[in-house]
Amino acid sequence: MSAEITSSPFILLFRGTDWDRGLSAEEIQQTMSRWSDWFDRLTSEGKAKLGQPLTNDGKIVSGKKGFAVVDGPFTESKEAVAGYILLRVADLDAATELAKECPGLDFGMSVEIRPISEELGRGPD
Amino acid sequence: MSTPPTSTGYMLLFKGTLWDRELSPEELQQVMTRWMNWLDRLTQEGKVRSAHPLANQGKIITWKKGAPTDGPFAESKEAIGGYFLLQVSGEEEALEIAKECPALKYGVAVEVRPIVDQCASMERAYMEHAIGSSE
């Protein structure tokens, strides 16, 4: 358990794997550099605990009667999750304000902010 | 830039927040007990870096009319109800673990996604740069 009793855990899910279409390599690099700076700042402020991009590969397992494993259509999708950040901040409003700084937003990405139920679960610290 | 041949970090996203509506309290309790036993075992095996259910609340932020705008999160068959961050030997093991999910037979789907150090867009930028400079 964390000593910070006044903060709560949240996950930011970055949605949209096609935000970079139509952008030049330089524009992508600029955006990614802003993204790294943003994440570094959140980490140094003690707000970001863990965060990683996901590849556009992957599979979906489902099936009420036996397993169906299909290749996920994760490219060219506005809904697909492209990465995540685990946050610890005061409340949902604080998490929402912080998510509005996401550099991918003005290229069509969206950010989902969800409170984490901490009592059931593990990690990251 | 080269990408690693196989990823060993995987994110499992559990999709569906309405699967438990038809279950009796006893059935739901059974599934949750199996789920916690499953997570305990994976944790003891050193495969779990982080794992949590998500509350059925939250916000979605999108860009509208030149500014970020927030709206409420909505429950659905596609909405994410929880996640596992796993450290495993590769995709095969990640898929085997996904198939053990106790809520699969109630309609939950498990998205199995490799984690990388560098995002796909950045890889593409490097690739294009490399291709552009080799011409």
Side-chain angles (χ1 to χ4, degrees), chain B residues 6-28:
Chain B
T6 54
S7 184
T8 56
Y10 280 82
M11 188 172 208
L12 303 193
L13 294 164
F14 300 101
K15 303 186 97 171
T17 59
L18 304 169
W19 63 276
D20 57 354
R21 297 301 195 272
E22 306 279 299
L23 272 62
S24 69
E26 290 74 23
E27 285 175 311
L28 185 57

Side-chain angles (χ1 to χ4, degrees), chain B residues 127-135:
Chain B
M127 290 279 285
E128 287 187 359
H129 185 71
I131 292 164
S133 57
S134 67
E135 282 170 356

Side-chain angles (χ1 to χ4, degrees), chain A residues 39 42-51 85-89:
Chain A
F39 184 67
L42 295 177
T43 304
S44 66
E45 290 171 352
K47 293 171 182 167
K49 297 300 175 186
L50 195 60
I85 294 179
L86 294 175
L87 283 184
R88 183 166 267 285
V89 290

Side-chain angles (χ1 to χ4, degrees), chain B:
Chain B
M1 287 299 295
S2 64
T3 47
T6 54
S7 184
T8 56
Y10 280 82
M11 188 172 208
L12 303 193
L13 294 164
F14 300 101
K15 303 186 97 171
T17 59
L18 304 169
W19 63 276
D20 57 354
R21 297 301 195 272
E22 306 279 299
L23 272 62
S24 69
E26 290 74 23
E27 285 175 311
L28 185 57
Q29 187 64 48
Q30 277 175 11
V31 177
M32 294 324 294
T33 302
R34 287 179 57 206
W35 194 300
M36 290 314 290
N37 290 342
W38 179 43
L39 179 57
D40 282 345
R41 176 170 58 77
L42 293 172
T43 304
Q44 281 163 16
E45 290 170 355
K47 292 171 183 167
V48 179
R49 188 161 184 204
S50 175
H52 289 283
L54 306 185
N56 287 327
Q57 304 148 18
K59 300 271 189 187
I60 306 270
I61 298 181
T62 50
W63 191 262
K64 283 197 186 111
K65 295 178 182 168
T69 309
D70 62 82
F73 157 81
E75 287 192 69
S76 75
K77 270 182 71 109
E78 295 297 317
I80 294 167
Y83 74 91
F84 286 2
L85 285 171
L86 299 178
Q87 195 67 43
V88 292
S89 59
E91 185 187 72
E92 196 174 335
E93 186 177 13
L95 285 174
E96 286 311 307
I97 291 171
K99 287 175 183 175
E100 296 171 353
C101 171
L104 271 177
K105 67 174 178 177
Y106 301 105
V108 165
V110 187
E111 193 173 303
V112 181
R113 300 285 301 279
I115 290 165
V116 280
D117 293 327
Q118 176 128 288
C119 93
S121 301
M122 200 63 190
E123 284 293 336
R124 193 170 73 77
Y126 273 115
M127 290 279 285
E128 287 187 359
H129 185 71
I131 292 164
S133 57
S134 67
E135 282 170 356

Side-chain angles (χ1 to χ4, degrees), chain A residues 13 34 42 63-64 68 71 75 77 79 93-94 100-101 114:
Chain A
L13 294 164
R34 284 176 56 207
L42 295 177
K64 292 188 177 185
D71 289 334
T75 52
S77 167
E79 297 298 321
D93 286 344
K100 285 179 179 172
E101 299 170 359
R114 301 282 300 281

